[in-house]
Amino acid sequence: MPVHPKKILHSKWTAVAPVDREKHFLVIDVCLPEDPLEPIEWIDLEAVYTKRVERIPWRVLADETRWRQGWV
């Protein structure tokens, strides 16, 4: 399934290789660029278990070797 940055806010993701019991994540923010003509590049993911927030490039979520959409 293709990933689009404008439609991933509040979506659920599962890490294929969990680290420190962090497996399930929510997209809590889509970081909009200062210039509205620039493309979206970053999102904030929150680990459900620990509430730790990590900023990553949104395109990383399209890598099926690292992420699965939904909570698996």
Side-chain angles (χ1 to χ4, degrees):
M1 175 178 288
V3 179
H4 193 278
K6 292 185 179 182
K7 295 185 178 184
I8 61 175
L9 185 61
H10 304 299
S11 61
K12 300 172 183 176
W13 294 86
T14 300
V16 172
V19 176
D20 295 329
R21 296 172 46 180
E22 293 180 334
K23 180 177 181 176
H24 297 113
F25 294 82
L26 287 171
V27 176
I28 61 168
D29 190 24
V30 175
C31 305
L32 301 174
E34 289 183 20
D35 182 355
L37 299 177
E38 292 291 317
I40 295 169
E41 293 190 31
W42 300 94
I43 60 166
D44 288 339
L45 281 179
E46 180 182 61
V48 172
Y49 183 70
T50 63
K51 303 296 184 199
R52 182 181 64 84
V53 176
E54 179 179 353
R55 181 164 287 177
I56 65 169
W58 73 268
R59 288 181 178 89
V60 172
L61 295 178
D63 183 356
E64 292 183 3
T65 63
R66 296 175 63 186
W67 295 99
R68 301 272 190 247
Q69 190 168 17
W71 287 345
V72 183

